[in-house]
Structure formats: structure tokens, C-alpha cells
Amino acid sequence: MEKKNCLILALDVTDRENALRIANEVSEYVDSIKVGYPLVLGEGLGIVKELAELAPVIADFKVADIPNTDRLICEHVFNAGADAIITHGFTGRDSLDSCVKVAEEYDRDVYVVTEMSHPGGVEFFRPVAETIAQMAADAGATGVVAPATRPERVRDIRKIIGDDLHIISPGVGAQGGSAADVINAGADWVIVGRSIYNSNSPADAAMKICNEMKC
């Protein structure tokens, strides 16, 4: 994924028409579009291919299963046109290795969740986040997911993974995270959803965030 604006749109709407409208409006300001279960369950996996015509797509399925199941999920996602997939790391190195192997075969990317951005994200992730970050680096993942709501944690994770892996960081806007703060803490991209897609002008909202980061 080429870094131009440091912004990833989390497109958590549930209908095709709205998704494509928003994606069209913000395409010049975002480096990628992240889709998850809300949109894919509402419209099917085919929406990935349509969105991929506008921007690279990250499939945020937080894959967390045994290696063979993870392999099957990744194959379906990459065949559908996604450029990257987000996985969990707590299922262990063999499961993560399976995702990374498929990504390498398709020349795609894998991002591993280290710690989630909501308040409950500290309950169980905090004690293992740094171990997961190291595992992601050892496994050859593209990068990790770390919370914009806690920039100090992004800084901690960056120290572990060094400069070789990317950090994508959710929680800016509706969850209270600051785009500028988390970029300064070491994130490569911020992930923003509701503050953009619920705006009367998604393009203006995206442009404002890009200007704040000055990437």
C-alpha cells in the first residue's frame, strides 16, 4: 500500500449504494478502504471487487481460527480482490504463519492486531500485545494494528517491531483518538470510520483529517 495521505477509511456501512457513493467521494484522500463484516454480510464478498476499483481494500475479518481455516478464509478474500487482510495473533504462530503464507502466494499483505482501540481492548490484549507484535515481526507480517486511542501504546509497539513493519491505527474521531498524535507516536496510517462516512460531506471530513496529519 502506497502511503500518500496516511488515511484509511473504515467503511462500516451496510449497503452497496451507500458504500460506493462514499468511496467515490473520498477516493482521492484515502490510501485504502477497510471493509469488515457489516458491509460484507450485507452485500456479499463481491463488494470487495467493486471497491477495489476505487482504492486498495483491506479485509478486516480479524481472522482467528486454526491454520487450515485461516488459509481458506485468506484465499477467498484475496481471490475476491482484497489487497490485505487483518488477523488476530492470539491463536498462535502456526495460524499466523498460514495467513502469511497465503498472502505471500498472492503477493498481498497481512496486518496483525496487537491491541484494540475500544476501552475493553486493554482487558486481555494488554498483557500479550507486545508478544503478539514480536510474533508478527518474526512471522514476516506486513504490519500490525495498534490503537490510536492510546498513542503511548503505538509508541511501545513501534519500539518492538522497528521500522520494517507498518502500523495501522484505528480509533481516530468517534472513539476520541487524534490523527496527528498517533502519527507522531509512530503509526503509518490512521483508520477513520464514522467521522467520515456519517459526515454530510465525507470528502471534506477526509480532507480535514489529512490536513491535520500533514503527511
Side-chain angles (χ1 to χ4, degrees), residues 65-67 70 87-101 104 110 112 131-141:
D65 216 307
I66 64 169
D70 285 359
T87 76
H88 273 304
F90 62 76
T91 48
R93 177 65 187 267
D94 56 348
S95 291
L96 178 56
D97 282 343
S98 180
C99 295
V100 171
K101 183 175 185 293
E104 290 174 346
V110 174
V112 184
T131 301
I132 291 175
Q134 185 62 60
M135 181 176 67
D138 294 341

Side-chain angles (χ1 to χ4, degrees), residues 1 32-35 48 56-61 74 77-78 81-87 103 107-111 142 168:
M1 181 169 53
S32 185
I33 297 171
K34 182 175 75 71
V35 300
V48 170
V57 173
I58 300 173
D60 185 7
F61 292 166
C74 289
V77 166
F78 295 140
D83 287 85
I85 193 166
I86 292 176
T87 76
D107 193 24
R108 298 294 189 264
D109 296 326
V110 174
Y111 293 93
T142 308
I168 60 176

Side-chain angles (χ1 to χ4, degrees), residues 6-27:
C6 300
L7 177 60
I8 296 169
L9 169 65
L11 194 54
D12 292 326
V13 298
T14 57
D15 65 284
R16 173 183 176 274
E17 182 177 350
N18 199 27
L20 293 176
R21 175 187 63 81
I22 295 167
N24 268 293
E25 289 185 22
V26 305
S27 60

Side-chain angles (χ1 to χ4, degrees), residues 104-183:
E104 290 174 346
E105 292 170 357
Y106 283 80
D107 193 24
R108 298 294 189 264
D109 296 326
V110 174
Y111 293 93
V112 184
V113 176
T114 60
E115 190 174 311
M116 297 177 74
S117 56
H118 65 301
V122 303
E123 293 182 31
F124 297 104
F125 278 104
R126 178 63 61 83
V128 297
E130 295 175 13
T131 301
I132 291 175
Q134 185 62 60
M135 181 176 67
D138 294 341
T142 308
V144 300
V145 183
T149 47
R150 294 182 288 279
E152 72 281 1
R153 295 298 293 155
V154 173
R155 191 172 289 109
D156 292 341
I157 296 300
R158 174 57 75 193
K159 291 177 182 177
I160 292 170
I161 65 173
D163 296 328
D164 293 334
L165 271 66
H166 297 305
I167 296 178
I168 60 176
S169 194
V172 169
Q175 292 188 62
S178 162
D181 286 351
V182 75
I183 289 293

